[in-house]
Coordinates of all heavy atoms in Angstrom, one line a residue:
M1 N 8.5 -4.0 11.0 CA 9.6 -3.7 10.1 C 10.7 -3.0 10.9 O 10.4 -2.1 11.7 CB 9.1 -2.9 8.9 CG 10.2 -2.5 8.1 SD 9.9 -1.6 6.5 CE 8.5 -0.6 7.0
N2 N 11.9 -3.3 10.6 CA 13.0 -2.5 11.1 C 13.6 -1.7 10.0 O 13.8 -2.1 8.9 CB 14.1 -3.6 11.6 CG 15.2 -2.8 12.3 OD1 15.1 -1.9 13.0 ND2 16.5 -3.4 12.2
I3 N 14.0 -0.4 10.3 CA 14.5 0.5 9.4 C 15.9 1.1 10.0 O 15.9 1.6 11.1 CB 13.6 1.7 9.1 CG1 12.2 1.2 8.6 CG2 14.2 2.7 8.2 CD1 11.2 2.4 8.5
T4 N 16.9 1.0 9.3 CA 18.2 1.6 9.6 C 18.6 2.5 8.5 O 18.5 2.2 7.3 CB 19.3 0.5 9.9 OG1 19.4 -0.3 8.8 CG2 18.8 -0.4 11.1
S5 N 19.4 3.5 8.9 CA 19.9 4.5 7.9 C 21.4 4.6 8.1 O 21.9 4.6 9.2 CB 19.3 5.9 8.2 OG 17.9 5.9 7.8
H6 N 22.1 4.7 7.0 CA 23.5 4.9 6.9 C 23.7 6.2 6.1 O 23.3 6.2 4.9 CB 24.2 3.7 6.3 CG 23.8 2.4 7.1 ND1 24.4 2.0 8.2 CD2 22.9 1.5 6.7 CE1 23.9 0.9 8.6 NE2 23.1 0.5 7.7
H7 N 24.3 7.3 6.7 CA 24.5 8.5 6.0 C 26.0 8.5 5.5 O 26.9 8.2 6.2 CB 24.3 9.7 6.9 CG 22.8 9.7 7.4 ND1 21.9 10.5 6.7 CD2 22.2 9.0 8.4 CE1 20.7 10.3 7.4 NE2 20.9 9.4 8.4
G8 N 26.1 8.9 4.2 CA 27.4 9.0 3.7 C 27.6 10.5 3.0 O 26.7 11.3 3.3
D9 N 28.5 10.6 2.1 CA 28.7 11.8 1.4 C 27.5 12.1 0.5 O 27.4 11.6 -0.6 CB 30.0 11.8 0.6 CG 31.2 11.7 1.5 OD1 31.1 12.2 2.6 OD2 32.2 11.2 1.0
D10 N 26.5 13.0 1.0 CA 25.4 13.4 0.2 C 24.5 12.3 -0.2 O 23.8 12.3 -1.3 CB 25.9 14.3 -1.0 CG 24.9 15.3 -1.5 OD1 24.0 15.6 -0.7 OD2 24.9 15.6 -2.6
Q11 N 24.5 11.2 0.5 CA 23.7 10.0 0.1 C 23.3 9.4 1.4 O 24.0 9.3 2.5 CB 24.6 9.0 -0.7 CG 24.3 7.7 -0.6 CD 25.2 6.8 -1.6 OE1 25.4 7.3 -2.7 NE2 25.6 5.7 -1.1
V12 N 22.1 8.7 1.4 CA 21.6 8.0 2.5 C 21.1 6.7 2.1 O 20.4 6.6 1.0 CB 20.4 8.8 3.2 CG1 19.8 7.9 4.4 CG2 20.8 10.1 3.6
R13 N 21.5 5.6 2.8 CA 21.1 4.2 2.5 C 20.2 3.9 3.6 O 20.5 3.8 4.7 CB 22.3 3.2 2.3 CG 21.7 1.8 2.1 CD 22.9 0.8 2.1 NE 23.6 0.7 0.8 CZ 23.2 0.2 -0.3 NH1 22.0 -0.3 -0.4 NH2 23.9 0.1 -1.4
I14 N 18.9 3.5 3.2 CA 17.9 3.1 4.2 C 17.6 1.6 4.0 O 17.2 1.3 2.9 CB 16.6 3.9 4.0 CG1 16.9 5.4 4.2 CG2 15.5 3.4 4.9 CD1 15.7 6.3 3.9
A15 N 18.0 0.8 4.9 CA 17.8 -0.6 4.8 C 16.5 -1.1 5.6 O 16.4 -0.7 6.7 CB 19.0 -1.4 5.4
L16 N 15.7 -1.8 4.9 CA 14.4 -2.2 5.5 C 14.5 -3.7 5.7 O 15.1 -4.5 4.9 CB 13.3 -2.0 4.5 CG 13.1 -0.6 4.0 CD1 11.9 -0.5 3.1 CD2 13.0 0.4 5.2
T17 N 14.0 -4.2 6.8 CA 13.9 -5.6 7.2 C 12.6 -5.9 7.6 O 12.0 -5.3 8.5 CB 14.9 -5.9 8.3 OG1 16.3 -5.5 7.9 CG2 15.0 -7.4 8.6
G18 N 12.0 -7.0 7.1 CA 10.6 -7.5 7.5 C 9.6 -7.2 6.4 O 10.0 -7.3 5.2
E19 N 8.4 -7.0 6.8 CA 7.3 -6.9 5.8 C 7.0 -5.4 5.6 O 6.8 -4.6 6.5 CB 6.1 -7.6 6.2 CG 6.3 -9.1 6.3 CD 5.0 -9.9 6.6 OE1 4.0 -9.3 7.0 OE2 5.1 -11.1 6.6
L20 N 6.8 -5.0 4.3 CA 6.5 -3.6 3.9 C 5.0 -3.8 3.5 O 4.7 -4.1 2.3 CB 7.3 -3.1 2.9 CG 7.1 -1.7 2.3 CD1 7.1 -0.7 3.5 CD2 8.1 -1.3 1.3
D21 N 4.1 -3.4 4.4 CA 2.7 -3.6 4.0 C 1.9 -2.5 4.8 O 2.4 -1.5 5.3 CB 2.1 -4.9 4.5 CG 2.4 -5.3 5.9 OD1 2.7 -4.3 6.8 OD2 2.4 -6.4 6.2
M22 N 0.5 -2.6 4.8 CA -0.3 -1.6 5.4 C 0.0 -1.3 6.8 O -0.1 -0.1 7.2 CB -1.8 -2.0 5.3 CG -2.8 -1.0 5.7 SD -4.5 -1.3 5.3 CE -4.7 -3.0 5.6
A23 N 0.5 -2.2 7.5 CA 0.8 -2.1 9.0 C 2.2 -1.3 9.2 O 2.3 -0.7 10.2 CB 0.9 -3.4 9.7
T24 N 3.0 -1.2 8.1 CA 4.3 -0.6 8.3 C 4.6 0.6 7.4 O 5.7 1.2 7.6 CB 5.4 -1.7 8.1 OG1 5.4 -2.2 6.8 CG2 5.3 -2.8 9.1
T25 N 3.7 0.8 6.4 CA 4.2 1.9 5.5 C 4.2 3.3 6.1 O 5.0 4.1 5.7 CB 3.1 2.0 4.3 OG1 1.8 2.0 4.7 CG2 3.3 0.8 3.3
E26 N 3.4 3.6 7.1 CA 3.4 4.8 7.7 C 4.8 5.1 8.4 O 5.3 6.2 8.4 CB 2.3 5.0 8.8 CG 2.0 6.4 9.1 CD 1.7 7.3 7.9 OE1 1.0 7.0 7.0 OE2 2.4 8.4 7.9
Q27 N 5.3 4.0 9.0 CA 6.6 4.1 9.6 C 7.7 4.5 8.5 O 8.5 5.3 8.8 CB 6.9 2.8 10.3 CG 8.3 2.7 10.9 CD 8.7 1.3 11.4 OE1 7.9 0.3 11.2 NE2 9.8 1.1 12.0
L28 N 7.6 3.8 7.4 CA 8.5 4.1 6.3 C 8.3 5.5 5.8 O 9.3 6.2 5.6 CB 8.3 3.1 5.1 CG 9.2 3.4 3.9 CD1 10.7 3.3 4.3 CD2 8.8 2.4 2.7
R29 N 7.1 6.0 5.6 CA 6.8 7.3 5.1 C 7.4 8.4 6.0 O 8.0 9.3 5.6 CB 5.3 7.5 4.9 CG 4.7 6.8 3.8 CD 3.2 7.1 3.8 NE 2.5 6.1 3.0 CZ 2.0 6.3 1.8 NH1 2.1 7.4 1.2 NH2 1.3 5.3 1.2
A30 N 7.2 8.2 7.3 CA 7.7 9.1 8.3 C 9.2 9.2 8.2 O 9.9 10.2 8.3 CB 7.2 8.7 9.7
H31 N 9.9 8.0 8.1 CA 11.3 8.0 8.0 C 11.9 8.6 6.8 O 12.9 9.4 6.9 CB 11.8 6.5 8.1 CG 13.3 6.3 8.4 ND1 13.7 6.2 9.6 CD2 14.3 6.3 7.5 CE1 15.1 6.1 9.5 NE2 15.5 6.1 8.2
L32 N 11.1 8.3 5.7 CA 11.6 9.0 4.3 C 11.4 10.5 4.5 O 12.2 11.3 3.9 CB 11.0 8.3 3.3 CG 11.4 6.9 2.9 CD1 10.4 6.3 1.9 CD2 12.8 6.9 2.4
D33 N 10.3 10.9 5.0 CA 10.0 12.4 5.1 C 11.1 13.0 5.9 O 11.7 14.1 5.5 CB 8.7 12.6 5.7 CG 7.5 12.3 4.8 OD1 7.8 12.1 3.6 OD2 6.3 12.3 5.4
H34 N 11.5 12.4 7.0 CA 12.6 13.0 7.9 C 13.9 13.0 7.1 O 14.7 13.9 7.2 CB 12.7 12.2 9.1 CG 13.7 12.7 10.1 ND1 13.6 13.8 10.8 CD2 15.0 12.1 10.3 CE1 14.7 14.0 11.5 NE2 15.5 13.0 11.2
T35 N 14.2 11.9 6.4 CA 15.4 11.9 5.6 C 15.5 13.0 4.6 O 16.6 13.6 4.3 CB 15.5 10.5 4.9 OG1 15.5 9.5 5.9 CG2 16.8 10.3 4.1
L36 N 14.4 13.3 3.9 CA 14.4 14.2 2.8 C 14.6 15.6 3.2 O 14.9 16.5 2.5 CB 13.1 14.1 2.0 CG 13.1 12.8 1.1 CD1 11.7 12.6 0.4 CD2 14.3 12.7 0.1
I37 N 14.4 15.9 4.5 CA 14.6 17.3 5.1 C 15.9 17.8 4.8 O 16.1 18.9 4.4 CB 14.2 17.3 6.6 CG1 12.8 17.1 6.8 CG2 14.8 18.6 7.2 CD1 12.4 16.9 8.3
S38 N 16.9 16.9 4.9 CA 18.4 17.3 4.7 C 18.7 17.3 3.2 O 19.8 17.7 2.8 CB 19.3 16.4 5.3 OG 19.3 15.1 4.9
R39 N 17.8 17.0 2.3 CA 18.0 17.0 0.8 C 19.2 16.3 0.4 O 20.1 16.9 -0.3 CB 17.9 18.4 0.3 CG 16.6 19.1 0.5 CD 16.6 20.6 0.0 NE 15.4 21.1 0.3 CZ 14.5 21.5 -0.6 NH1 14.6 21.3 -1.9 NH2 13.3 22.0 -0.2
P40 N 19.4 15.1 0.7 CA 20.6 14.3 0.2 C 20.4 14.2 -1.4 O 19.3 14.2 -1.9 CB 20.4 13.0 0.8 CG 19.0 12.8 1.2 CD 18.5 14.2 1.5
R41 N 21.6 14.2 -2.0 CA 21.5 13.9 -3.4 C 20.9 12.6 -3.8 O 20.2 12.6 -4.8 CB 23.0 14.0 -4.1 CG 23.1 13.9 -5.5 CD 24.5 13.8 -6.0 NE 25.2 12.7 -5.4 CZ 25.2 11.4 -5.8 NH1 24.4 11.0 -6.7 NH2 25.9 10.5 -5.1
L42 N 21.1 11.6 -3.1 CA 20.7 10.2 -3.4 C 20.2 9.5 -2.1 O 20.9 9.6 -1.1 CB 21.8 9.4 -4.0 CG 21.5 7.9 -4.3 CD1 20.4 7.9 -5.4 CD2 22.8 7.3 -4.9
V43 N 19.0 8.9 -2.2 CA 18.5 8.1 -1.2 C 18.3 6.7 -1.8 O 17.5 6.5 -2.7 CB 17.1 8.6 -0.7 CG1 16.5 7.6 0.4 CG2 17.2 10.0 -0.2
L44 N 19.0 5.8 -1.2 CA 19.0 4.3 -1.6 C 18.0 3.6 -0.6 O 18.4 3.6 0.6 CB 20.3 3.7 -1.7 CG 21.3 4.2 -2.7 CD1 22.7 3.6 -2.6 CD2 20.8 4.0 -4.2
V45 N 17.0 3.0 -1.1 CA 16.1 2.2 -0.2 C 16.5 0.7 -0.5 O 16.1 0.2 -1.6 CB 14.7 2.5 -0.4 CG1 13.8 1.6 0.4 CG2 14.4 4.0 -0.2
D46 N 17.1 0.1 0.4 CA 17.6 -1.3 0.2 C 16.6 -2.2 0.7 O 16.2 -2.3 1.9 CB 18.9 -1.4 1.0 CG 19.6 -2.8 0.7 OD1 19.0 -3.7 0.3 OD2 20.8 -2.8 1.1
L47 N 16.1 -3.0 -0.1 CA 14.9 -4.0 0.2 C 15.4 -5.4 0.4 O 14.7 -6.4 0.4 CB 13.9 -4.0 -1.0 CG 13.2 -2.7 -1.2 CD1 12.1 -2.9 -2.2 CD2 12.6 -2.0 0.1
D48 N 16.8 -5.6 0.5 CA 17.4 -6.9 0.7 C 16.7 -7.7 1.8 O 16.4 -8.9 1.6 CB 18.8 -6.9 0.8 CG 19.5 -8.3 0.7 OD1 19.1 -9.0 -0.2 OD2 20.3 -8.6 1.6
G49 N 16.3 -7.0 2.8 CA 15.7 -7.7 4.0 C 14.3 -7.8 4.0 O 13.6 -8.2 5.0
V50 N 13.6 -7.3 3.0 CA 12.2 -7.3 2.9 C 11.6 -8.6 2.4 O 12.0 -9.1 1.3 CB 11.7 -6.2 2.0 CG1 10.1 -6.2 1.7 CG2 12.0 -4.8 2.6
T51 N 10.8 -9.2 3.2 CA 10.3 -10.6 2.9 C 8.9 -10.5 2.2 O 8.4 -11.5 1.6 CB 10.1 -11.4 4.1 OG1 9.3 -10.7 5.1 CG2 11.4 -11.6 4.8
F52 N 8.2 -9.3 2.2 CA 6.9 -9.1 1.6 C 6.6 -7.7 1.4 O 7.0 -6.9 2.3 CB 5.8 -9.8 2.5 CG 4.4 -9.6 1.9 CD1 3.9 -10.3 0.9 CD2 3.6 -8.6 2.5 CE1 2.6 -10.1 0.4 CE2 2.3 -8.4 2.0 CZ 1.9 -9.1 1.0
C53 N 6.1 -7.4 0.3 CA 5.7 -6.0 -0.1 C 4.3 -6.0 -0.7 O 4.2 -6.6 -1.8 CB 6.7 -5.3 -0.9 SG 6.4 -3.6 -1.3
D54 N 3.3 -5.4 -0.1 CA 2.1 -5.3 -0.7 C 1.8 -3.9 -1.5 O 2.8 -3.1 -1.6 CB 0.9 -5.5 0.2 CG 0.7 -4.4 1.2 OD1 1.3 -3.3 1.2 OD2 -0.1 -4.6 2.1
S55 N 0.6 -3.7 -2.0 CA 0.4 -2.5 -2.8 C 0.6 -1.2 -2.1 O 0.9 -0.2 -2.6 CB -1.1 -2.6 -3.4 OG -2.0 -2.6 -2.4
T56 N 0.3 -1.2 -0.7 CA 0.5 0.0 0.0 C 2.0 0.2 0.2 O 2.4 1.4 0.2 CB -0.2 -0.1 1.5 OG1 0.3 -1.2 2.2 CG2 -1.7 -0.1 1.3
G57 N 2.8 -0.7 0.3 CA 4.3 -0.5 0.3 C 4.8 0.0 -1.0 O 5.6 0.9 -1.0
I58 N 4.3 -0.6 -2.0 CA 4.6 0.0 -3.4 C 4.3 1.4 -3.6 O 5.0 2.2 -4.0 CB 4.1 -0.9 -4.5 CG1 4.8 -2.3 -4.5 CG2 4.3 -0.3 -5.9 CD1 4.2 -3.3 -5.4
S59 N 3.0 1.7 -3.2 CA 2.6 3.0 -3.3 C 3.4 4.0 -2.4 O 3.7 5.1 -2.8 CB 1.1 3.1 -2.7 OG 0.6 4.4 -2.7
A60 N 3.8 3.6 -1.2 CA 4.7 4.4 -0.4 C 6.0 4.6 -1.1 O 6.6 5.8 -1.0 CB 4.9 3.8 1.0
L61 N 6.6 3.7 -1.7 CA 7.8 3.8 -2.4 C 7.7 4.8 -3.6 O 8.5 5.7 -3.9 CB 8.4 2.5 -2.9 CG 8.9 1.6 -1.8 CD1 9.2 0.2 -2.3 CD2 10.1 2.1 -1.0
V62 N 6.7 4.7 -4.4 CA 6.4 5.6 -5.5 C 6.2 7.1 -5.0 O 6.8 7.9 -5.6 CB 5.2 5.1 -6.3 CG1 4.7 6.1 -7.4 CG2 5.5 3.7 -7.0
A63 N 5.4 7.2 -4.0 CA 5.2 8.5 -3.4 C 6.5 9.1 -2.8 O 6.8 10.3 -3.1 CB 4.1 8.5 -2.3
A64 N 7.3 8.3 -2.3 CA 8.7 8.8 -1.8 C 9.6 9.2 -2.9 O 10.2 10.1 -2.8 CB 9.3 7.7 -0.9
R65 N 9.5 8.4 -4.0 CA 10.4 8.8 -5.1 C 9.9 10.1 -5.7 O 10.7 11.0 -6.1 CB 10.3 7.7 -6.2 CG 11.2 8.2 -7.4 CD 11.6 6.9 -8.2 NE 12.2 7.4 -9.5 CZ 13.3 6.9 -9.9 NH1 14.0 6.0 -9.2 NH2 13.9 7.3 -11.0
T66 N 8.6 10.3 -5.8 CA 8.0 11.7 -6.3 C 8.4 12.8 -5.3 O 8.8 13.9 -5.7 CB 6.5 11.5 -6.4 OG1 6.2 10.4 -7.3 CG2 5.9 12.8 -6.9
A67 N 8.3 12.5 -4.0 CA 8.7 13.5 -3.0 C 10.1 13.9 -3.0 O 10.5 15.0 -2.8 CB 8.2 13.1 -1.6
A68 N 10.9 12.9 -3.2 CA 12.4 13.0 -3.3 C 12.8 14.0 -4.6 O 13.5 14.8 -4.4 CB 13.1 11.7 -3.5
A69 N 12.1 13.7 -5.7 CA 12.4 14.5 -6.9 C 11.9 16.0 -6.6 O 12.6 16.9 -7.0 CB 11.6 13.9 -8.0
A70 N 10.8 16.1 -5.9 CA 10.4 17.5 -5.6 C 11.3 18.2 -4.7 O 11.4 19.4 -4.7 CB 8.9 17.4 -5.0
A71 N 12.0 17.4 -3.8 CA 13.0 18.1 -2.9 C 14.3 18.2 -3.5 O 15.3 18.6 -2.9 CB 13.1 17.2 -1.7
G72 N 14.5 17.8 -4.8 CA 15.8 17.9 -5.5 C 16.7 16.7 -5.2 O 18.0 16.8 -5.4
S73 N 16.1 15.6 -4.7 CA 16.9 14.4 -4.5 C 16.5 13.3 -5.5 O 15.5 13.5 -6.2 CB 16.6 13.9 -3.0 OG 17.0 14.8 -2.1
H74 N 17.2 12.2 -5.4 CA 16.9 11.1 -6.2 C 16.6 9.9 -5.3 O 17.6 9.6 -4.5 CB 17.9 10.7 -7.2 CG 17.5 9.6 -8.1 ND1 16.7 9.6 -9.3 CD2 17.9 8.2 -8.0 CE1 16.5 8.5 -9.8 NE2 17.2 7.6 -9.1
L75 N 15.6 9.2 -5.4 CA 15.4 8.0 -4.5 C 15.4 6.8 -5.5 O 14.8 6.7 -6.5 CB 14.0 8.1 -3.9 CG 13.7 6.8 -2.9 CD1 13.1 7.3 -1.7 CD2 12.8 5.8 -3.6
Q76 N 16.2 5.8 -5.1 CA 16.4 4.6 -5.9 C 16.2 3.4 -5.0 O 16.8 3.3 -3.9 CB 17.7 4.5 -6.5 CG 17.9 3.3 -7.4 CD 19.4 3.2 -7.9 OE1 20.2 4.2 -7.8 NE2 19.7 2.2 -8.5
V77 N 15.4 2.4 -5.4 CA 15.2 1.1 -4.7 C 16.3 0.2 -5.2 O 16.5 0.1 -6.4 CB 13.8 0.6 -5.0 CG1 13.7 -0.9 -4.4 CG2 12.8 1.5 -4.3
V78 N 16.9 -0.5 -4.3 CA 18.0 -1.5 -4.6 C 17.7 -2.8 -3.9 O 17.0 -2.8 -2.9 CB 19.4 -0.9 -4.3 CG1 19.8 0.3 -5.1 CG2 19.5 -0.7 -2.8
N79 N 18.2 -3.8 -4.5 CA 18.2 -5.2 -3.9 C 16.8 -5.8 -3.7 O 16.6 -6.5 -2.8 CB 19.0 -5.3 -2.6 CG 20.4 -5.0 -2.8 OD1 21.0 -5.4 -3.8 ND2 21.0 -4.3 -1.8
A80 N 15.9 -5.4 -4.6 CA 14.5 -6.0 -4.5 C 14.6 -7.4 -5.2 O 15.3 -7.5 -6.2 CB 13.5 -5.2 -5.3
H81 N 14.1 -8.4 -4.5 CA 14.2 -9.8 -5.0 C 13.0 -10.6 -4.6 O 12.1 -10.1 -3.9 CB 15.5 -10.4 -4.5 CG 15.6 -10.4 -3.0 ND1 14.9 -11.3 -2.1 CD2 16.3 -9.6 -2.2 CE1 15.2 -11.0 -0.9 NE2 16.0 -10.0 -0.9
G82 N 12.8 -11.7 -5.1 CA 11.7 -12.6 -4.8 C 10.4 -12.1 -5.0 O 10.2 -11.3 -6.0
I83 N 9.5 -12.3 -4.1 CA 8.0 -11.9 -4.4 C 8.0 -10.3 -4.4 O 7.1 -9.8 -5.1 CB 7.1 -12.4 -3.3 CG1 5.7 -12.2 -3.6 CG2 7.4 -11.8 -1.9 CD1 5.1 -13.0 -4.8
T84 N 8.8 -9.6 -3.7 CA 8.9 -8.1 -3.8 C 9.2 -7.6 -5.2 O 8.4 -6.8 -5.7 CB 9.9 -7.6 -2.7 OG1 9.5 -8.0 -1.5 CG2 9.9 -6.0 -2.8
A85 N 10.2 -8.2 -5.8 CA 10.6 -7.8 -7.1 C 9.5 -8.2 -8.1 O 9.2 -7.4 -9.1 CB 11.9 -8.3 -7.6
K86 N 9.0 -9.3 -8.0 CA 7.9 -9.8 -8.8 C 6.7 -8.9 -8.8 O 6.1 -8.6 -9.8 CB 7.5 -11.3 -8.5 CG 6.5 -11.9 -9.3 CD 7.2 -12.8 -10.2 CE 6.1 -13.6 -11.0 NZ 6.5 -13.8 -12.4
T87 N 6.3 -8.6 -7.6 CA 5.1 -7.7 -7.4 C 5.4 -6.3 -8.1 O 4.5 -5.8 -8.7 CB 4.8 -7.5 -5.9 OG1 4.5 -8.8 -5.3 CG2 3.5 -6.6 -5.7
M88 N 6.6 -5.8 -7.9 CA 6.9 -4.5 -8.5 C 6.9 -4.6 -10.0 O 6.5 -3.7 -10.7 CB 8.3 -4.0 -8.0 CG 8.3 -3.5 -6.6 SD 9.9 -3.0 -6.1 CE 9.5 -2.5 -4.4
Q89 N 7.4 -5.8 -10.5 CA 7.4 -6.0 -11.9 C 6.0 -6.1 -12.5 O 5.6 -5.5 -13.6 CB 8.2 -7.3 -12.3 CG 8.3 -7.5 -13.8 CD 9.1 -8.8 -14.1 OE1 9.2 -9.7 -13.3 NE2 9.8 -8.8 -15.2
I90 N 5.1 -6.8 -11.9 CA 3.7 -7.0 -12.3 C 3.0 -5.7 -12.4 O 2.2 -5.5 -13.2 CB 3.0 -8.0 -11.4 CG1 3.6 -9.4 -11.7 CG2 1.5 -8.1 -11.6 CD1 3.1 -10.5 -10.7
T91 N 3.2 -4.9 -11.3 CA 2.6 -3.6 -11.3 C 3.2 -2.5 -12.1 O 2.6 -1.4 -12.2 CB 2.5 -3.1 -9.7 OG1 3.8 -3.0 -9.2 CG2 1.6 -4.0 -8.9
G92 N 4.3 -2.8 -12.7 CA 4.9 -1.9 -13.6 C 5.8 -0.8 -13.1 O 6.2 0.1 -13.8
V93 N 6.2 -1.0 -11.8 CA 7.0 0.1 -11.2 C 8.4 -0.3 -10.9 O 9.2 0.5 -10.5 CB 6.3 0.7 -9.8 CG1 5.0 1.2 -10.2 CG2 6.3 -0.5 -8.8
L94 N 8.8 -1.5 -11.3 CA 10.2 -2.0 -10.9 C 11.2 -1.1 -11.6 O 12.2 -0.7 -10.9 CB 10.3 -3.5 -11.4 CG 11.7 -4.1 -11.0 CD1 11.9 -4.1 -9.5 CD2 11.8 -5.5 -11.6
E95 N 11.1 -0.9 -12.9 CA 12.1 -0.1 -13.6 C 12.1 1.3 -13.1 O 13.1 1.9 -12.8 CB 11.9 -0.1 -15.1 CG 12.9 0.6 -15.9 CD 12.7 0.5 -17.4 OE1 12.1 -0.5 -17.8 OE2 13.2 1.3 -18.0
F96 N 10.8 1.9 -12.8 CA 10.8 3.3 -12.4 C 11.5 3.4 -11.0 O 12.2 4.5 -10.9 CB 9.3 3.6 -12.2 CG 9.0 4.9 -11.5 CD1 9.3 6.1 -12.1 CD2 8.4 5.0 -10.2 CE1 9.1 7.4 -11.5 CE2 8.2 6.2 -9.6 CZ 8.5 7.4 -10.2
L97 N 11.3 2.5 -10.1 CA 11.9 2.6 -8.7 C 13.3 2.3 -8.7 O 14.0 2.7 -7.8 CB 11.1 1.7 -7.7 CG 9.7 2.1 -7.4 CD1 8.9 1.1 -6.6 CD2 9.7 3.5 -6.7
T98 N 13.8 1.5 -9.6 CA 15.3 1.0 -9.6 C 16.2 1.7 -10.5 O 17.4 1.5 -10.5 CB 15.3 -0.5 -9.9 OG1 14.7 -0.8 -11.1 CG2 14.6 -1.3 -8.8
T99 N 15.6 2.7 -11.2 CA 16.5 3.4 -12.2 C 17.5 4.4 -11.4 O 17.0 5.1 -10.6 CB 15.6 4.2 -13.2 OG1 14.8 3.4 -13.9 CG2 16.5 5.1 -14.2
P100 N 18.8 4.2 -11.7 CA 19.7 5.1 -11.1 C 19.6 6.5 -11.5 O 19.0 6.8 -12.6 CB 21.0 4.6 -11.4 CG 20.9 3.5 -12.5 CD 19.4 3.3 -12.6
P101 N 20.2 7.5 -10.8 CA 20.2 8.9 -11.2 C 20.8 9.1 -12.6 O 21.8 8.4 -12.9 CB 21.0 9.7 -10.2 CG 21.4 8.7 -9.2 CD 21.0 7.3 -9.5
G102 N 20.2 10.0 -13.3 CA 20.7 10.4 -14.6 C 20.4 9.4 -15.8 O 20.8 9.5 -16.9
H103 N 19.5 8.5 -15.5 CA 19.0 7.5 -16.6 C 17.6 7.7 -16.9 O 16.8 8.1 -16.2 CB 19.2 6.1 -16.2 CG 20.7 5.7 -16.2 ND1 21.5 5.9 -15.0 CD2 21.5 5.3 -17.1 CE1 22.7 5.5 -15.3 NE2 22.8 5.2 -16.6

């Protein structure tokens, strides 16, 4: 998986490319932990380039959203599509992960 970050005014967009699974979730967790140190108001995790996401990937995203809230930030998943969006919908976390701040 490839992870790139774009920092803006009190917001970070993290773009993922590749597969988000057991082999790559630790890389994502470490990246998100490092990102949350600066306590951005909003962290957008862009899944447009994600071709596959398994239960460990979903678990990592849910844990990251919880960690972001504890740090006073908001984490929102954007651009989930295909099998990734379907898996999130089936597991019941799609709305939880994609809800924008204040909703």
Side-chain angles (χ1 to χ4, degrees):
M1 176 176 34
N2 186 37
I3 302 174
T4 56
S5 292
H6 306 279
H7 297 264
D9 294 333
D10 207 22
Q11 152 176 323
V12 179
R13 177 182 282 284
I14 298 172
L16 308 180
T17 305
E19 296 183 355
L20 180 54
D21 57 18
M22 188 168 39
T24 60
T25 54
E26 199 52 46
Q27 178 186 1
L28 175 62
R29 287 178 201 255
H31 193 89
L32 288 168
D33 287 347
H34 180 74
T35 298
L36 290 174
I37 290 171
S38 65
R39 296 182 185 247
R41 181 186 57 77
L42 178 61
V43 178
L44 295 173
V45 180
D46 189 339
L47 301 184
D48 190 44
V50 172
T51 56
F52 175 77
C53 181
D54 70 5
S55 62
T56 58
I58 289 172
S59 178
L61 291 169
V62 169
R65 181 157 170 133
T66 302
S73 299
H74 181 83
L75 183 139
Q76 179 185 354
V77 171
V78 296
N79 297 323
H81 56 81
I83 191 70
T84 300
K86 181 105 174 138
T87 302
M88 289 180 181
Q89 182 179 29
I90 289 169
T91 57
V93 299
L94 182 63
E95 186 175 335
F96 171 72
L97 290 172
T98 59
T99 301
H103 289 92

